[in-house]
Amino acid sequence: MAERILSGTHWGPFYPEVTDGKLSGVTPFDLDPNPSPILNSLPDMADHPCRILRPAVRQGYLQANGEEYHRRRGSEPFVEVSWEHALDLVANALKRTRDESGNQAIYGGSYGWASAGKLHSANALLHRFLSGIGGFTGSIGTYSLAAGEAILPHILGNGGKNSAWETLVGTTQLHVSFGGMPLKNAQITHGGMTRRSTRDWLLKMKNSGCQFVNISPVKDDLMHELGAQWVPIRPNTDVALMLGMAHTMVRQNLHAANFLSQYCHGFDEFLPYLLGEVDGQPKDIDWAESITNVPADTIQQLARQLVTERSFLNAAWSIQRADHGEQPYWMMMVLACMAGHIGKPGGGFGYGYGSMGGVGEIGAAVRGPMLSAPTNPVEQAIPVSRIADMLLNPGSSYQFNGSNETYPNIDLIYWAGGNPFHHHQDINRLIEAWNRPKTVVVNESFWTSTARHADIVLPVATTLERNDIGWCFADQGAYTMPKIIDAPADVRLEWDVFADLAERMGDRDQWDQGLTSDQWLEQLYEQSREKAAAKGNDLPDFNTFWQQGYLPLPPLEGANPAYSEFIEDPEDNPLPTPSGKFQIFSDTIHGFDYEDCPGHPIWLEPAEWLGNAQPQQLHLISNQPATRLHSQLDFGRTSIESKIADREPLRMHPDDAAAHGLNDGDVARLFNDRGECLAGVMISDDLMPGVVQLATGAWYDPQQPGQPGSLDVHGNPNMLTLDKGTSRLAQGPISQTTLIEIEKWTGPVPPITVFEPPAMAASED
Ligand SMILES: Nc1nc2c(c(=O)[nH]1)N[C@H]1C(S)=C(S)[C@@H](COP(=O)(O)OP(=O)(O)OC[C@H]3O[C@@H](n4cnc5c(=O)[nH]c(N)nc54)[C@H](O)[C@@H]3O)O[C@H]1N2
Ligand SMILES: Nc1nc2c(c(=O)[nH]1)N[C@H]1C(S)=C(S)[C@@H](COP(=O)(O)OP(=O)(O)OC[C@H]3O[C@@H](n4cnc5c(=O)[nH]c(N)nc54)[C@H](O)[C@@H]3O)O[C@H]1N2
Ligand SMILES: [Mo]
């Protein structure tokens, strides 16, 4: 072992301190300039009371007494059973489902972030296991970026390219970001980056003369040291603002006409809409002001600056997590084309800077290890956030990105590494849907809401209790993730759980090929090492790496502005789009004939927004939490210390607080037709009036567990959000499209109970 053991998480690497077999503290990684405060919560991970200690089965499932036994999930006590018993139950349910209904009746989409590490990646292990036993209905896309993932390939030919930070420093004069670039989000990178560098890049840009503009309902979405111009905007109206800017450019003849004709397809089809020749409504600055609440003068100023200065446009992922979220992503590309700086140093556009730490980083020339898996024999997969639609409407049809599909009938859900009772919109609707299948199996380390709504719960070791490798896609360094402490006695490695299940399903040989998980880890590393050597990069052998702890990796070569090759030589380096150019008009999308996503970007009214709100309604933004990763470590000290009256903080403008008779520290009830929750009031000038902010991830803590419509006493915004797809193109989640009402909670304040284990009935084994 190295002198100091190094391990890591999605929010960065750390050196553990172990006292008497317990994780007593952590020190951040030496090379990380801005370590995440979420690291401080790690000591709470190992032995918190909400740890699942033994396999557990819902009492009604165990007794199976009555046809409707699956309709009481979340409301009954659990019974602890032996591993043998629990694994037999899972294997029998899988076999029964397979025999009676076929493999497509198993839902294994199992979305979620799980933990960092290349081997023990829960969702990947589940998919590998289920593929080996005949397959499963899977999921397509993410809750993060579903609308972007669907629209960008049509208009850019792939997921889009981002310029490296290096190319923006000293070159970008004006940086305009929709949704800001909040450092709270840049703490995190999927897979766990070694360094949190976004803050430093932003300061370098500022110090070399860049002016920043933060277009967001929330002022501190851009750090105050940047002295940014804050342009408060009504949520979900960014596309109208962009159209107003585009209209100004055309009217004042500022737009880059040569760029549009040389590098873009379909500006002529878009122009009549922009000018109002199609619908009688020019998308001018007064029209844009009436929708966005951004003053017409500001829109005009920004439009001029975008053209006259070397400008860069960025959109946070949040702005597409909204009704018709495809449109602002599409329109921002059009606006950047009209400004004409794409491909030049410091100019152009990108998506997701500040949404996650790795965006804008160059990454390494050597790729990380990957566990191979058999292809899933079941081809069907649903757009990930349509899960409740699928469970509620088996056999019904839906449209998705040009195809017509039918929802399968699901008998069994198996989840590992995610928390849908945190992440899905409209939890009350999810409860109804979740009660439909006959069996729900969940692998977890903690009694999350999802574990509480399972039939069979299998307790698995945490990242602290197993050997793994941290190797993040955007990073120039890899690190070891050695086992730091022992798992509780009856808690097992997820790898071994699947090995024993594979044994019961007759698939053991394929699962582990006779090797232990530690042997697999070494083998995976050595495979990466061989691939690196073939490209002329020498990596140390596994044992040396394991001794070293940290492994610097060679950077990818070249940091050119995105699309510079295309701009320099469009004939030889066309974009991989149908036209070979930026698609301002998409004949493909036009051919789908979707009213909610036609052939060029347009303004479409969201289902809920301040423009159609009642006077007492407020727009709820449920952003990513600063003090944890989603729902992970909500019980950890960093998250707990941030709570107000034990509840998730609700930020609101002083005028809105006064109008509702609320003061700092009060408990408020948030409600709409879909549900209700409590939250702790925090008054802030950083919010625009009419908009309130409640981060995601507070564990759902219902007053009557298992009952749809119950009050959540803790502050899960998904009690209130709307469960609808962005459009037929992406079918993405729209959590940022939510109106609510609010009132002071004057009754006794209910205690938070969700961090205690659920009720247990006497064990039978
Ligand atoms: N209202 C609203 N809702 C949202 C969003 C929003 O902006 N607003 N954002 C959405 C987005 S972008 C995302 S990505 C999702 C995130 O949603 P999730 O990714 O589902 O959230 P997490 O809390 O990270 O859930 C991961 C779970 O995996 C468990 N886990 C960790 N390691 C392991 C392991 O090794 N094995 C197993 N079996 N389990 C493990 C953790 O204990 C945790 O319960 O939320 C979405 N929901
Ligand atoms: N600390 C921490 N960091 C995280 C995560 C976490 O759980 N914790 N999750 C990670 C994940 S999975 C993801 S996908 C990314 C998500 O990254 P994002 O989607 O970019 O993050 P959000 O915090 O949802 O939103 C960023 C900001 O957008 C603003 N915003 C919301 N709606 C609108 C709108 O309609 N218009 C405009 N202009 N602005 C709007 C909000 O003020 C919000 O603060 O974050 C990652 N980073
Ligand atoms: Mo995400």
Side-chain angles (χ1 to χ4, degrees):
M1 264 294 137
E3 245 172 61
R4 276 208 293 178
I5 293 173
L6 183 66
S7 188
T9 62
H10 290 305
W11 49 98
F14 64 94
Y15 306 103
E17 292 145 33
V18 179
T19 316
D20 297 333
K22 288 183 184 232
L23 183 67
S24 48
V26 299
T27 310
F29 181 49
D30 289 343
L31 299 179
D32 190 347
N34 303 294
S36 164
I38 305 173
L39 285 174
N40 296 334
S41 282
L42 277 176
D44 302 315
M45 193 184 249
D47 48 11
H48 193 275
C50 67
R51 191 73 202 261
I52 306 171
L53 295 174
R54 277 169 287 278
V57 183
R58 187 170 57 82
Q59 194 174 40
Y61 188 85
L62 206 53
Q63 296 165 345
N65 54 355
E67 289 216 334
E68 298 287 291
Y69 67 88
H70 48 285
R71 301 227 188 272
R72 298 199 294 268
R73 293 194 178 108
S75 64
E76 288 177 353
F78 281 89
V79 179
E80 292 184 334
V81 300
S82 67
W83 271 103
E84 292 299 304
H85 191 170
L87 293 174
D88 285 347
L89 284 173
V90 176
N92 288 342
L94 285 167
K95 285 180 193 158
R96 198 172 55 234
T97 306
R98 213 168 53 172
D99 294 348
E100 287 173 8
S101 314
N103 277 79
Q104 83 290 341
I106 301 171
Y107 183 67
S110 186
Y111 182 81
W113 267 57
S115 295
K118 300 305 287 186
L119 176 64
H120 297 284
S121 173
N123 332 65
L125 295 187
L126 175 65
H127 293 163
R128 187 169 183 271
F129 163 69
L130 291 176
S131 295
I133 62 159
F136 61 99
T137 293
S139 64
I140 303 170
T142 61
Y143 279 74
S144 314
L145 193 61
E149 286 155 1
I151 190 79
L152 295 182
H154 286 292
I155 63 175
L156 299 171
N158 51 35
K161 284 185 187 167
N162 280 335
S163 297
W165 289 108
E166 281 87 342
T167 68
L168 308 183
V169 176
T171 50
T172 306
Q173 293 172 304
L174 179 74
H175 190 288
V176 177
S177 188
F178 297 87
M181 291 180 280
L183 292 183
K184 69 173 176 69
N185 289 357
Q187 295 174 76
I188 306 281
T189 314
H190 197 271
M193 270 192 68
T194 50
R195 301 158 175 86
R196 262 123 291 283
S197 51
T198 302
R199 177 188 160 78
D200 300 4
W201 286 119
L202 292 175
L203 286 174
K204 277 186 199 162
M205 287 176 73
K206 150 109 180 142
N207 293 337
S208 61
C210 179
Q211 184 204 334
F212 288 90
V213 180
N214 172 29
I215 299 177
S216 172
V218 178
K219 185 175 179 188
D220 56 11
D221 276 341
L222 213 48
M223 63 193 206
H224 67 89
E225 290 102 311
L226 298 179
Q229 176 184 359
W230 180 31
V231 180
I233 184 171
R234 278 177 168 173
N236 297 192
T237 67
D238 299 82
V239 72
L241 182 69
M242 296 174 195
L243 286 164
M245 293 191 223
H247 188 272
T248 301
M249 288 182 190
V250 172
R251 275 285 162 251
Q252 301 188 6
N253 208 16
L254 296 164
H255 61 297
N258 286 342
F259 189 97
L260 291 169
S261 59
Q262 201 177 350
Y263 300 109
C264 305
H265 169 82
F267 186 67
D268 291 345
E269 273 117 319
F270 168 69
L271 193 57
Y273 167 76
L274 185 67
L275 298 178
E277 290 163 11
V278 179
D279 54 0
Q281 175 60 64
K283 311 303 173 299
D284 57 25
I285 49 178
D286 293 327
W287 171 84
E289 174 177 331
S290 72
I291 291 173
T292 61
N293 230 14
V294 177
D297 285 352
T298 308
I299 304 175
Q300 180 158 261
Q301 163 234 322
L302 286 172
R304 285 174 160 278
Q305 268 185 292
L306 280 180
V307 179
T308 56
E309 295 175 23
R310 181 60 58 84
S311 63
F312 192 90
L313 290 159
N314 175 49
W317 292 342
S318 59
I319 70 164
Q320 53 82 63
R321 215 174 295 117
D323 203 10
H324 312 122
E326 298 86 354
Q327 302 305 321
Y329 262 40
W330 197 348
M331 187 57 211
M332 194 181 79
M333 180 206 80
V334 175
L335 198 58
C337 291
M338 293 175 73
H341 304 298
I342 300 171
K344 298 178 191 153
F349 68 107
Y351 301 98
Y353 290 84
S355 291
M356 227 172 48
V359 177
E361 299 290 344
I362 292 182
V366 183
R367 290 195 156 247
M370 264 276 276
L371 183 64
S372 61
T375 311
N376 181 2
V378 174
E379 278 181 10
Q380 177 142 30
I382 59 159
V384 67
S385 66
R386 297 297 91 228
I387 177 171
D389 283 0
M390 168 185 74
L391 296 173
L392 289 168
N393 308 300
S396 73
S397 58
Y398 64 98
Q399 288 170 307
F400 174 51
N401 209 350
S403 62
N404 295 316
E405 307 282 344
T406 305
Y407 286 123
N409 195 351
I410 299 298
D411 277 351
L412 186 150
I413 297 177
Y414 199 149
W415 218 287
N419 189 0
F421 281 78
H422 136 65
H423 72 226
H424 190 65
Q425 284 56 67
D426 197 347
I427 301 279
N428 285 320
R429 184 168 187 257
L430 180 66
I431 293 173
E432 305 266 11
W434 193 261
N435 273 333
R436 299 280 176 117
K438 292 180 183 145
T439 303
V440 177
V441 186
V442 170
N443 293 1
E444 251 296 350
S445 304
F446 306 101
W447 280 111
T448 61
S449 319
T450 301
R452 285 161 199 265
H453 286 83
D455 299 319
I456 308 169
V457 181
L458 303 178
V460 293
T462 71
T463 180
L464 305 173
E465 298 153 356
R466 63 194 186 204
N467 293 315
D468 213 329
I469 295 174
W471 194 312
C472 176
F473 68 97
D475 212 349
Q476 293 169 14
Y479 49 90
T480 55
M481 296 174 65
K483 178 177 164 186
I484 297 165
I485 51 172
D486 289 330
D490 285 323
V491 168
R492 304 189 59 199
L493 281 187
E494 200 146 27
W495 175 277
D496 295 335
V497 172
F498 283 127
D500 281 358
L501 281 175
E503 171 100 46
R504 282 167 171 75
M505 303 300 290
D507 195 45
R508 172 93 193 210
D509 291 348
Q510 179 167 258
W511 176 260
D512 61 12
Q513 294 160 22
L515 302 181
T516 64
S517 58
D518 283 350
Q519 288 168 323
W520 272 92
L521 191 67
E522 181 166 348
Q523 182 173 299
L524 287 182
Y525 176 85
E526 291 296 345
Q527 284 166 0
S528 292
R529 185 167 163 241
E530 273 170 35
K531 283 192 193 140
K535 285 189 176 174
N537 292 305
D538 277 339
L539 302 186
D541 65 21
F542 181 78
N543 287 334
T544 312
F545 166 53
W546 208 250
Q547 289 285 326
Q548 241 169 266
Y550 175 65
L551 173 64
L553 296 170
L556 267 178
E557 269 178 38
N560 294 325
Y563 305 109
S564 54
E565 289 172 1
F566 168 58
I567 300 303
E568 276 157 26
D569 190 348
E571 303 299 324
D572 279 355
N573 302 311
L575 295 185
T577 56
S579 66
K581 301 178 175 185
F582 294 114
Q583 301 271 163
I584 293 177
F585 187 86
S586 164
D587 308 83
T588 310
I589 295 178
H590 175 70
F592 294 161
D593 201 19
Y594 294 159
E595 271 168 26
D596 52 6
C597 190
H600 61 72
I602 65 167
W603 159 251
L604 291 163
E605 230 186 290
E608 296 180 12
W609 66 300
L610 288 173
N612 69 6
Q614 301 297 317
Q616 75 280 10
Q617 284 180 312
L618 297 162
H619 194 116
L620 175 75
I621 284 177
S622 49
N623 59 303
Q624 313 297 314
T627 56
R628 53 183 181 261
L629 173 63
H630 314 130
S631 71
Q632 296 196 41
L633 289 173
D634 188 30
F635 53 80
R637 61 198 73 172
T638 309
S639 178
I640 292 291
E641 283 161 13
S642 75
K643 307 254 172 180
I644 292 179
D646 299 335
R647 265 128 267 261
E648 193 59 23
L650 172 83
R651 291 209 301 170
M652 63 192 308
H653 188 271
D655 292 352
D656 290 327
H660 292 87
L662 290 163
N663 289 309
D664 255 328
D666 281 350
V667 173
R669 185 177 80 98
L670 285 55
F671 60 100
N672 61 19
D673 291 347
R674 294 179 287 272
E676 54 177 348
C677 70
L678 302 184
V681 173
M682 186 188 240
I683 297 175
S684 169
D685 285 323
D686 284 345
L687 272 274
M688 69 183 266
V691 178
V692 294
Q693 193 182 32
L694 178 70
T696 57
W699 285 19
Y700 168 52
D701 195 349
Q703 276 193 316
Q704 283 99 31
Q707 299 299 317
S710 176
L711 172 75
D712 162 43
V713 304
H714 194 190
N716 181 336
N718 284 320
M719 305 315 299
L720 305 158
T721 49
L722 179 59
D723 184 15
K724 168 188 172 300
T726 47
S727 80
R728 284 175 279 181
L729 189 87
Q731 296 285 7
I734 62 163
S735 46
Q736 308 308 329
T737 301
T738 301
L739 292 176
I740 61 156
E741 292 182 49
I742 185 166
E743 65 180 20
K744 190 166 171 162
W745 177 260
T746 50
V749 178
I752 305 299
T753 59
V754 71
F755 296 138
E756 302 292 326
M760 294 286 165
S763 176
E764 298 181 359
D765 289 0

